[in-house]
Amino acid sequence: MSLAPAADAAPLIELQQACVVRGQVRVLHDLNLHIAQGQHTAILGPNGCGKSSFIKLITRELYPLARIDGPPPVKVMGQTRWQVDRLRAQLGIVSGDLSSNLADMPGLGVEEAVVSGFFASYVVAHREVTDAMRERARQALELAGALHLLGRSYAELSAGETRRVLIARALVNQPRALLLDEPSTGLDLVSRQQLIDTLRQLARQGITLVLVTHHIDEVIPEIGRVVLMKNGRIHADGPREQLLRAAPLSEVFGGPVEVREHEGRLSAWAL
């Protein structure tokens, strides 16, 4: 399965003065952001800073405030309008919400969970599943390091195993990018490291990663760009070498943060 984008691929994400209101609260303020195809990017910030709202803005779960004139506030792969199922086929999504929804499907096997990604749905019953789809599902499971889980029930998997299956589900459509929303939530130390290793392998194979997290150690070396968010705004945007440091992180997290690097791996903790 080839993951490399087309040479003439449009920019992945373009935001111009994008604002989002939920209820009576503005959760995203005038976001300006351009992520090119192939540009691995981490969206980093404390809980409540707007990271997940950013993901929902891209995946059309939230919509920007409309305006009369000026450029469109959101463009994804060069388009301003998408059918949600087609968009989610080209932008593979990995999140805890997906895991919960699949776990609620009685009798769902691992292969069926991955194949459901073809239909932008959690239901495979009454769908025509071809041999080619099943082969692609196996290829995606292999890429995600989860081929050994074939034949298992999805509901019986560990948290780390379900995350690998979700990555495979996102990969079956050969998407241009993976959007990962706090992908390590609920994982133990070993499972988190396995997830990080999987992300490194995918990045090396040419699929663009947009990682939303508040864990510094998840920003793998292949991710060269970091966007720091605070209070629904882009606080800083630049190379990892400049932003994954004590001063900018302390500012965005609102307290003193220590950062250390050992053999290319970063760790951070509050003082």
Side-chain angles (χ1 to χ4, degrees), residues 5-102:
D8 60 348
L12 183 65
I13 295 170
E14 296 175 273
L15 303 181
Q16 297 193 56
Q17 298 293 306
C19 301
V20 171
V21 172
R22 301 183 74 173
Q24 301 298 317
V25 179
R26 183 169 294 204
V27 294
L28 295 177
H29 303 261
D30 300 321
L31 298 191
N32 290 297
L33 186 65
H34 181 290
I35 299 177
Q37 185 69 47
Q39 186 177 43
H40 306 305
T41 302
I43 312 294
L44 194 69
N47 290 333
C49 73
K51 301 188 306 294
S52 292
S53 294
F54 164 81
I55 287 284
K56 290 179 170 60
L57 175 65
I58 303 305
T59 60
R60 292 301 195 261
E61 295 175 71
L62 293 175
Y63 287 86
L65 287 176
R67 54 176 178 244
I68 298 174
D69 54 12
V74 180
K75 293 176 72 175
V76 180
M77 291 179 286
Q79 297 188 37
T80 58
R81 295 185 180 184
W82 281 89
Q83 291 181 337
V84 173
D85 57 344
R86 293 184 61 192
L87 172 63
R88 294 179 183 175
Q90 295 201 45
L91 289 177
I93 303 167
V94 179
S95 73
D97 291 343
L98 285 174
S99 182
S100 299
N101 290 332
L102 287 170

Side-chain angles (χ1 to χ4, degrees), residues 7 9 30 36-37 40 57 59 64 82 87 92-93 106-107 129 147 158 162 167 171 193 232 262 267:
D30 300 321
Q37 185 69 47
H40 306 305
L57 175 65
T59 60
W82 281 89
L87 172 63
I93 303 167
V129 178
L147 187 58
S158 69
T162 61
I167 290 173
L171 291 173
Q193 185 56 51
H262 178 67
S267 59

